[in-house]
Amino acid sequence: MGILEKISEIEKEIARTQKNKATEYHLGLLKAKLAKYRAQLLEPSKSASSKGEGFDVMKSGDARVALIGFPSVGKSTFLSLMTSTASEAASYEFTTLTCIPGVIEYKGANIQLLDLPGIIEGAAQGKGRGRQVIAVARTADVVIMMLDATKGEVQRSLLEKELESVGIRLNKHKPNIYFKPKKGGGISFNSTVTLTQCSEKLVQLILHEYKIFNAEVLFREDCSPDEFIDVIVGNRVYMPCLYVYNKIDQISMEEVDRLARKPNSVVISCGMKLNLDYLLEMLWDATASTGHSPASSSTPWCGAPAPSTVRSGWG
């Protein structure tokens, strides 16, 4: 059985297993196995030395922003509007086949914007050029997730699932868990808070799944088994994400208002150049929080509240 088949089987077993006290250890082990297989799947192929045309883009400027989304949501048009780069735009899918860089000049900073090929469902399993797209996305400081406002929330949930499965954590902080493997002495487990999602036994079972039998573990916050697995794996990427809903000129004002009020969300229309000024402000705040712009501060970015009305007039 190949890795893809193993991943599929584990995902199915997790889905059909009821979540309760009696199954928490079983689910914890399944999640640990799933994380291991996904890591193996995303390892670069030894036979493939090339990354593919257009994907080896040198990082430049004060910050790097990855523009991701499904095909035909308006990413190429957005890049053309916000930068001097012309990315081919068309009404059919998969217009962009390579990674196209552009630069946004804003408040004295140069923000590198990468228009990545449209991510399709299953990108984490290597479909299309998904693995290459994800590899570039992991090097970004901020993600702009471009969504079609006319298609509801389905695109957002699918993209979040894809990025989550390859270790990209959006708008989350690194779990406050101290973990250090040792050469001997067994597993030392402690916590400074009351744990409701993990227990010492579950932590030991997960560590044993990774062939770790000697380690120091200290929980400083009430973390889930998934967050503990992230700490063990150690290659997770935590970054701010702006959810940008395009084509708001094609939906009702009530729906525009609902989307605008969601956390870390901006509503725009590339076709009518609506609200692009506010998007730039939000992007500036997000890059500043990562320490990659002249406005960098020590305050963590948690997303600004959405405006009650759409602001427009960029240009």
Side-chain angles (χ1 to χ4, degrees):
M1 184 184 293
I3 294 179
L4 283 175
E5 289 78 13
K6 290 178 181 178
I7 288 175
S8 179
E9 286 298 315
I10 293 174
E11 287 177 336
K12 289 176 183 176
E13 188 170 352
I14 290 175
R16 64 173 174 257
T17 302
Q18 290 187 340
K19 295 175 177 63
N20 53 52
K21 272 288 183 183
T23 61
E24 64 178 9
Y25 300 121
H26 179 60
L27 284 171
L29 287 177
L30 288 176
K31 289 175 180 179
K33 290 180 179 179
L34 185 61
K36 281 175 59 180
Y37 287 136
R38 281 175 173 166
Q40 292 175 26
L41 185 67
L42 292 169
E43 288 174 358
S45 173
K46 294 180 180 178
S47 60
S49 58
S50 175
K51 291 184 179 181
E53 180 189 357
F55 279 86
D56 193 11
V57 180
M58 182 179 295
K59 195 168 185 177
S60 65
D62 298 289
R64 167 177 277 195
V65 177
L67 180 61
I68 66 171
F70 281 95
S72 298
V73 295
K75 300 190 310 300
S76 298
T77 303
F78 176 75
L79 184 82
S80 299
L81 284 172
M82 305 295 274
T83 73
S84 59
T85 303
S87 179
E88 184 183 357
S91 59
Y92 53 86
E93 296 187 349
F94 302 108
T95 308
T96 304
L97 297 178
T98 60
C99 178
I100 301 174
V103 176
I104 298 174
E105 297 180 0
Y106 188 68
K107 293 187 177 180
N110 290 325
I111 302 172
Q112 186 183 44
L113 182 65
L114 300 181
D115 177 19
L116 301 177
I119 289 182
I120 59 172
E121 189 176 359
Q125 279 71 48
K127 291 183 181 179
R129 304 186 88 171
R131 195 177 301 185
Q132 295 162 309
V133 174
I134 289 164
V136 174
R138 286 177 63 93
T139 68
D141 302 304
V142 178
V143 168
I144 289 180
M145 186 181 292
M146 186 74 76
L147 303 162
D148 188 332
T150 67
K151 296 186 177 180
E153 297 297 307
V154 61
Q155 290 188 338
R156 173 171 169 170
S157 59
L158 288 172
L159 285 171
E160 285 178 330
K161 182 180 178 182
E162 288 297 320
L163 296 177
E164 186 84 10
S165 68
V166 296
I168 297 177
R169 304 293 183 253
L170 303 177
N171 299 327
K172 295 180 180 178
H173 68 274
K174 189 174 181 180
N176 194 357
I177 300 174
Y178 174 78
F179 168 70
K180 183 179 180 180
K182 301 186 299 184
K183 293 183 178 180
I187 295 173
S188 172
F189 176 85
N190 287 289
S191 65
T192 60
V193 296
T194 301
L195 301 181
T196 62
Q197 306 174 75
C198 274
S199 65
E200 183 174 359
K201 180 182 176 183
L202 180 55
V203 165
Q204 289 179 342
L205 288 172
I206 292 172
L207 287 172
H208 290 171
E209 180 63 33
Y210 282 88
K211 303 294 188 291
I212 299 173
F213 303 97
N214 302 284
E216 290 182 31
V217 179
L218 173 62
F219 277 65
R220 297 191 180 101
E221 64 180 340
D222 187 18
C223 295
S224 67
D226 299 276
E227 290 173 316
F228 179 57
I229 292 168
D230 283 352
V231 172
I232 297 173
V233 175
N235 65 349
R236 303 317 194 201
V237 179
Y238 300 84
M239 64 179 72
C241 174
L242 286 177
Y243 300 99
V244 178
Y245 293 88
N246 188 26
K247 306 181 184 180
I248 60 170
D249 53 299
Q250 301 176 29
I251 61 176
S252 67
M253 282 303 299
E254 290 78 13
E255 181 66 5
V256 171
D257 188 62
R258 185 187 71 82
L259 293 174
R261 293 180 183 277
K262 297 175 72 68
N264 308 318
S265 299
V266 185
V267 292
I268 67 168
S269 170
C270 288
M272 298 184 69
K273 298 182 181 179
L274 290 173
N275 225 32
L276 297 178
D277 57 340
Y278 182 67
L279 172 54
L280 276 175
E281 290 178 26
M282 290 281 283
L283 181 59
W284 176 257
D285 290 341
T287 57
S289 73
T290 66
H292 290 91
S293 82
S296 300
S297 68
S298 59
T299 305
W301 185 80
C302 299
S308 57
T309 58
V310 176
R311 291 160 55 182
S312 62
W314 180 87

